[in-house]
Amino acid sequence: IMNNRHLGLVRQHQRLFLNERYSGTRFKSDPDFASIARGFGIRATRMDQPNHEMILDFMESDGPCLIDARISCEDLVLPIVPAGSANVEPIEDIA
């Protein structure tokens, strides 16, 4: 999970295309996704800082696993297609 504790793509659209008029994108709670996954018998952890060794270890393990990777709400997902645009018209870089 790339967890920015917001509705990330909605917030990103509000930032890029709606003059940062944020509304209804911040979560009031902060679910512990790793604990929930462990409750279902899934190997899971929370990662607050990049940890390539941990990622490789999880990728090499058998069965399902979950990493709750905490990222900044300011991080952007690219490419992104603006509202009203066709999927063949993505924005691939934000200057």
Side-chain angles (χ1 to χ4, degrees):
I1 299 172
M2 303 301 284
N3 186 350
N4 68 2
R5 294 159 308 281
H6 289 75
L7 295 175
L9 289 176
V10 176
R11 186 181 191 287
Q12 183 169 315
H13 268 264
Q14 292 171 345
R15 175 181 171 186
L16 297 176
F17 310 117
L18 300 173
N19 298 320
E20 298 183 358
R21 289 178 293 190
Y22 301 117
S23 176
T25 59
R26 180 152 179 84
F27 293 134
K28 291 182 180 180
S29 63
D30 187 12
D32 187 341
F33 292 111
S35 289
I36 294 167
R38 285 191 294 271
F40 285 94
I42 297 170
R43 182 179 180 204
T45 191
R46 177 174 156 174
M47 184 172 63
D48 293 308
Q49 299 293 325
N51 184 328
H52 299 284
E53 290 178 15
M54 177 191 299
I55 293 169
L56 289 174
D57 179 52
F58 269 66
M59 289 176 64
E60 292 172 352
S61 65
D62 291 331
C65 60
L66 180 135
I67 298 175
D68 180 3
R70 299 302 178 106
I71 62 171
S72 169
C73 66
E74 298 299 322
D75 290 345
L76 298 176
V77 176
L78 297 171
I80 185 171
V81 177
S85 295
N87 285 341
V88 295
E89 305 174 82
I91 296 174
E92 296 187 17
D93 187 26
I94 304 295

